Amino acid sequence: MTQPGDYGLPGSLNRVLSDVAAERAAQDAMWGVQDHADGTGPGYGPEADLAKRAVTDAAAEGRLTWRHILHEEVLEAFAEDDAGRLRDELIQVAAVAVKWVQDLDRRTRSQEAPAPPPVTG
């Protein structure tokens, strides 16, 4: 049964989140605990504004892509220097990336699905 967030594929969200968790475990195994500065701040604001405009323009012209959407979310995160707002933006980045993977899975699955039998009557 398809659950909310499954993008029309039963278990899709759980499968993608499981894949993300496995990748995180692999990163931890390879790199251990990492402690880096955020490297974000208002200096990225103009780039974020351009990305927002690109999303708006692409949507209005019927050529919006996942790249546009993810790029905008990433640049909005880069423009934050408040830890709480940065966290919120990074959650949005992760959510868009997960949704994109679900869309890839959905499209792949629909290409692999056998054609329905011809209707006879």
Side-chain angles (χ1 to χ4, degrees), residues 11-49:
S12 171
L13 182 59
N14 288 338
R15 187 170 45 257
V16 173
L17 294 177
S18 177
D19 291 346
V20 170
E23 173 58 24
R24 282 290 302 110
Q27 291 171 357
D28 286 348
M30 179 170 282
W31 303 106
V33 174
Q34 297 184 60
D35 186 14
H36 306 291
D38 294 326
T40 62
Y44 289 98
E47 289 179 57
D49 291 341

Side-chain angles (χ1 to χ4, degrees), residues 52-64:
K52 288 178 191 177
R53 199 163 332 145
V55 165
T56 300
D57 292 348
E61 296 166 5
R63 56 179 185 79
L64 185 63

Side-chain angles (χ1 to χ4, degrees), residues 26-118:
Q27 291 171 357
D28 286 348
M30 179 170 282
W31 303 106
V33 174
Q34 297 184 60
D35 186 14
H36 306 291
D38 294 326
T40 62
Y44 289 98
E47 289 179 57
D49 291 341
L50 287 173
K52 288 178 191 177
R53 199 163 332 145
V55 165
T56 300
D57 292 348
E61 296 166 5
R63 56 179 185 79
L64 185 63
T65 66
W66 284 113
R67 182 196 55 82
H68 289 106
I69 297 166
L70 185 60
H71 187 240
E72 176 192 3
E73 294 298 343
V74 167
L75 288 176
E76 286 176 346
F78 285 178
E80 286 299 338
D81 59 0
D82 174 81
R85 289 193 306 262
L86 175 57
R87 184 184 190 283
D88 291 344
E89 291 296 338
L90 290 171
I91 293 296
Q92 290 177 27
V93 168
V96 168
V98 165
K99 188 72 164 191
W100 188 354
V101 171
Q102 288 180 280
D103 190 33
L104 284 169
D105 290 350
R106 181 190 54 80
R107 286 184 276 149
T108 300
R109 187 175 217 186
S110 69
Q111 291 171 357
E112 294 172 355

